[in-house]
Amino acid sequence: MILPTARWREARQSWKMVDELGFAHAWTLDHIAWRELAGRRWYSAMPTLAAAAQCTRRIRLGTLVASPNFRHPVPFAKEALTLSDLSGDRFVLGIGAGASGADAKVLGGVPWSPAERRDRFTEFVEVVDQLLRQPCSDYAGRFYSARDAWIDPDGGARDRIPVVVAGSGPTGMRLAARHGDGWVTNGVAARRGRVPPAVTPELAREQIDAVRRTCVEEGRDPATLKVFLMNVNRAQAAFSSAAAFADTAGRYAEIGVTDLIVPFPRSEPPYEGDLRVLEQVAADVLPMVAGD
């Protein structure tokens, strides 16, 4: 479930609701500003998740997805580990390459070429993985460096935070196979921040087959990589009806999706929906399809 980073006194009940209804995970988008909601009420992902950790009991919480656009891996890894502690080890770190648009220019630098964005993404995932696996790290890369980076105050006593890597192309799939506990796709990615992404079972099957081949090439059992799918299609709301949700979940489960992610129904566009359908899905559909 993707929840908003809205004003907390308005959003808090939504986070509690998805926890109490039994959904497996709740995510928020990690952006400074996002598409048509730029200039509207939109707050920071990590503090929002820290607040959500305090008002929920069991649901996993995550970023969908953090990117190098305005993040540096060292302070971000420290925030991630702290959030994992605050939530009782319920935090999942979603990482992606980021896209052009508001987040890509907000720091005032020269826009990255596609090649530089790819290379930064690769290095970002590599160094974050290292920072989360070792109590103290040094790293010297082309884009990012770390020196005496004490990230884990427990000295590596805990398991590494689960990492889900986004990417429908070869780079994201390879990084997921090498470093991820899971891989996530939204189908056809947005272009220049203007075109909403879309996914179909046919496209998802092609991408899942490709990421499985990549796992084999990297010497990894594909069965060890969880497959997350963001169904954020705008043409048909995920919660148009409980029957539609059940049909969608079933279709994607058949082709290998382990975790389906959909937007929380909003009272206005985008992703407007009826909370009564959400409750019906929880009561009638989740018992049949829920995973861990």
Side-chain angles (χ1 to χ4, degrees):
M1 188 76 61
I2 305 171
L3 281 87
T5 51
R7 180 173 290 183
W8 183 246
R9 64 173 176 261
E10 301 166 1
R12 181 175 184 272
Q13 191 57 40
S14 300
W15 291 87
K16 290 185 64 178
M17 182 180 187
V18 296
D19 183 44
E20 293 167 356
L21 287 176
F23 289 91
H25 31 71
W27 310 77
T28 196
L29 305 178
D30 188 29
H31 297 292
I32 299 294
W34 185 77
R35 295 187 190 148
E36 65 264 45
L37 296 184
R40 309 275 291 277
R41 284 179 179 163
W42 187 285
Y43 293 92
S44 180
M46 298 300 273
T48 295
L49 290 169
Q54 303 309 299
C55 74
T56 56
R57 297 178 298 105
R58 43 154 297 280
I59 198 166
R60 286 192 170 273
L61 308 168
T63 51
L64 201 68
V65 287
S67 81
N69 265 335
F70 57 88
R71 296 287 189 185
H72 187 282
V74 172
F76 188 57
K78 189 72 170 183
E79 290 179 8
L81 189 136
T82 303
L83 186 46
S84 182
D85 182 68
L86 286 171
S87 64
D89 298 324
R90 290 185 286 132
F91 179 62
V92 181
L93 178 57
I95 308 178
S100 58
D103 289 347
K105 61 186 179 183
V106 70
L107 299 184
V110 177
W112 301 334
S113 66
E116 181 175 349
R117 183 172 297 280
R118 178 199 64 217
D119 293 345
R120 281 182 178 271
F121 179 35
T122 298
E123 195 169 298
F124 189 88
V125 173
E126 289 175 351
V127 66
V128 166
D129 187 26
Q130 178 179 317
L131 290 164
L132 294 177
R133 289 184 185 277
Q134 301 177 8
C136 183
S137 289
D138 292 298
Y139 185 94
R142 177 184 170 195
F143 304 105
Y144 305 107
S145 298
R147 181 177 299 173
D148 293 335
W150 287 96
I151 299 300
D152 188 354
D154 291 333
R158 70 181 74 206
D159 293 336
R160 191 202 64 165
I161 296 169
V163 172
V164 175
V165 179
S168 57
T171 298
M173 292 181 182
R174 184 180 67 253
L175 291 171
R178 291 179 180 176
H179 304 282
D181 299 277
W183 166 77
V184 60
T185 181
N186 61 4
V188 179
R191 301 184 186 280
R192 297 197 178 105
R194 293 190 299 242
V195 180
V199 67
T200 64
E202 294 75 22
L203 175 60
R205 184 190 295 275
E206 292 177 7
Q207 294 180 344
I208 292 169
D209 289 345
V211 79
R212 286 172 173 168
R213 289 194 299 269
T214 303
C215 284
V216 172
E217 292 167 2
E218 293 291 331
R220 176 173 180 169
D221 179 359
T224 65
L225 185 71
K226 299 187 79 172
V227 175
F228 293 77
L229 184 133
M230 293 174 62
N231 184 2
V232 291
N233 298 356
R234 299 194 185 193
Q236 181 177 6
F239 292 111
S240 58
S241 71
F245 183 93
D247 180 67
T248 297
R251 287 175 181 269
Y252 285 116
E254 287 177 0
I255 62 174
V257 172
T258 61
D259 294 78
L260 180 65
I261 304 171
V262 296
F264 186 85
R266 290 165 44 89
S267 59
E268 59 184 356
Y271 310 124
E272 66 272 31
D274 191 333
L275 288 179
R276 291 172 297 182
V277 175
L278 175 70
E279 293 170 339
Q280 186 179 358
V281 165
D284 299 339
V285 183
L286 281 193
M288 297 186 293
V289 302
D292 54 8

